[in-house]
Amino acid sequence: MKKNKVLDLKKYLKEKGKLVDKLLKKYLPKDNSIISQAMRYSVLAGGKRLRPVFVMLGAESFKLDIKKIEPAICAVEFLHTYSLIHDDLPAMDNDDLRRGKPTSHKKFGEAAAILAGDALLTESFNLIAKSNVPADRIVKAIKMFSDYSGYQGMIGGQAEDTIEAGKWNKQNVSFCKKKLEYIHIHKTSDLIKASLLMGAMLAGAKDKDLKALEKYGHNIGIAFQIADDILDVYADKKLLGKNGSDADNDKLTYLRLYGKEQSEQNAIKLIDEAKKSISKFKVNKEVFESLADYMINRKF
């Protein structure tokens, strides 16, 4: 049974990924300005497309035709890509490679990369507003997305991860563990939660179901980042598509505080908790469970 689930998940992700790529090409700008070129370059550079897949999964689980929210599906990938472009900048992680290709600032220069990221961020909210669902759902989804991606969400996590890098050695272990949890929750988990909730909110899901999805996203999001911390050190760099930079930037990571074995055990516990939170779901339950396992079993 497990082997069949894995094979099914690979097929599911491949099919959904093709659809996402098609939609991204539809909603990206078509002109040849340097900013538009940079936007297309980074968005279409590849990637797992997990966040748009989560939007679709959230919507389909509550019987909404995803054709009605095509722009919103793209919105989360626009915002995610903006965060990666800015993450790679010399002032932040200073990475030369992303998905096996030169990072945006290496390809187009720092100014163009910053502005392309700004453009993707701004356009993401415009896209959500274009969803073909009742206006009250759109307003609710935009507010949620702003909260999880803003200074108290993803940006807050990135700030602690980047600005505070190199300062952790002076702090005690207990303090560092609390900071690490904050970073993982906000830097990574918040956008995964937002993607799941986006589709469900636009579908008109009930509050109890939204809370279940929020718990699910919270746990798989942290587990995903733990896996990232491990892959940054141990993964095949060709598969990873970038050079590991956590150690070079003196980042606070699960490996530094817990070691590889304990980090892996913590991730497994989080996945178990995620599955419990959606145990009463009758639609797409197997997909939710398989995606949860994928968060920590992936190779890149």
Side-chain angles (χ1 to χ4, degrees):
M1 288 295 292
K2 286 186 177 180
K3 287 187 177 180
N4 289 334
K5 284 185 180 180
V6 171
L7 290 173
D8 287 344
L9 181 64
K10 287 181 179 179
K11 182 179 179 182
Y12 176 88
L13 289 174
K14 185 177 181 179
E15 290 176 350
K16 294 294 186 183
K18 285 182 178 179
L19 174 57
V20 171
D21 286 339
K22 181 180 179 180
L23 293 177
L24 290 171
K25 291 174 183 177
K26 177 180 177 180
Y27 286 99
L28 279 164
K30 305 296 189 299
D31 66 273
N32 286 321
S33 69
I34 189 170
I35 301 305
S36 296
Q37 289 181 51
M39 290 167 72
R40 290 194 297 270
Y41 175 81
S42 291
V43 172
L44 299 177
K48 293 176 280 292
R49 307 303 191 202
L50 286 174
R51 290 155 191 83
V53 169
F54 283 137
V55 177
M56 289 188 278
L57 180 60
E60 290 172 336
S61 297
F62 300 97
K63 300 179 180 180
L64 177 66
D65 184 349
I66 60 172
K67 290 182 179 180
K68 293 185 176 183
I69 60 163
E70 286 181 353
I73 291 168
C74 295
V76 297
E77 193 67 11
F78 274 34
L79 189 136
H80 175 55
T81 303
Y82 122 76
S83 74
L84 298 181
I85 291 173
H86 285 191
D87 262 354
D88 291 335
L89 290 166
M92 294 185 68
D93 286 354
N94 194 25
D95 281 322
D96 294 342
L97 290 175
R98 169 70 64 179
R99 295 165 176 165
K101 299 178 181 179
T103 48
S104 184
H105 68 276
K106 285 293 181 181
K107 178 79 172 178
F108 297 97
E110 288 183 44
I114 292 169
L115 292 168
D118 293 343
L120 288 168
L121 167 61
T122 307
E123 185 62 14
S124 66
F125 293 98
N126 184 32
L127 288 175
I128 298 170
K130 292 180 179 179
S131 299
N132 185 21
V133 297
D136 61 323
R137 297 182 189 178
I138 293 174
V139 172
K140 186 177 180 181
I142 288 176
K143 183 184 184 307
M144 175 277 300
F145 197 55
S146 300
D147 289 340
Y148 277 125
S149 62
Y151 77 98
Q152 290 183 312
M154 182 186 73
I155 297 299
Q158 288 177 318
E160 291 290 338
D161 184 50
T162 303
I163 298 172
E164 298 299 320
K167 301 178 182 178
W168 308 110
N169 293 331
K170 301 176 183 178
Q171 307 294 341
N172 62 55
V173 174
S174 177
F175 176 85
C176 287
K177 286 182 177 179
K178 289 180 181 178
K179 281 294 182 182
L180 180 64
E181 183 179 18
Y182 179 92
I183 290 169
H184 279 46
I185 288 172
H186 297 295
K187 177 186 172 184
T188 303
S189 180
D190 275 356
L191 194 53
I192 289 176
K193 282 187 285 188
S195 300
L196 284 159
L197 292 172
M198 175 79 72
M201 282 183 174
L202 293 173
K206 296 179 180 178
D207 285 345
K208 65 179 181 65
D209 293 319
L210 294 176
K211 287 179 181 178
L213 279 179
E214 189 172 18
K215 289 180 181 178
Y216 172 86
H218 173 87
N219 285 304
I220 67 167
I222 298 174
F224 183 92
Q225 186 58 51
I226 293 173
D228 254 17
D229 286 357
I230 296 170
L231 289 170
D232 192 78
V233 175
Y234 291 99
D236 182 324
K237 295 301 182 282
K238 288 184 179 179
L239 282 176
L240 197 61
K242 60 181 180 179
N243 297 317
S245 60
D246 287 345
D248 291 341
N249 291 321
D250 201 11
K251 293 287 188 75
L252 183 64
T253 68
Y254 254 79
L255 281 178
R256 289 187 66 176
L257 286 184
Y258 295 96
K260 186 171 183 286
E261 184 177 349
Q262 186 62 54
S263 295
E264 290 173 341
Q265 291 176 1
N266 288 352
I268 290 170
K269 289 179 182 178
L270 287 163
I271 294 304
D272 289 340
E273 287 299 314
K275 290 178 181 179
K276 287 179 184 176
S277 67
I278 49 91
S279 61
K280 294 183 180 179
F281 279 25
K282 295 181 180 179
V283 179
N284 288 327
K285 184 178 178 182
E286 184 178 325
V287 179
F288 279 109
E289 292 179 341
S290 295
L291 280 168
D293 289 332
Y294 174 75
M295 295 295 104
I296 57 173
N297 292 329
R298 59 199 171 89
K299 302 300 181 184
F300 60 94

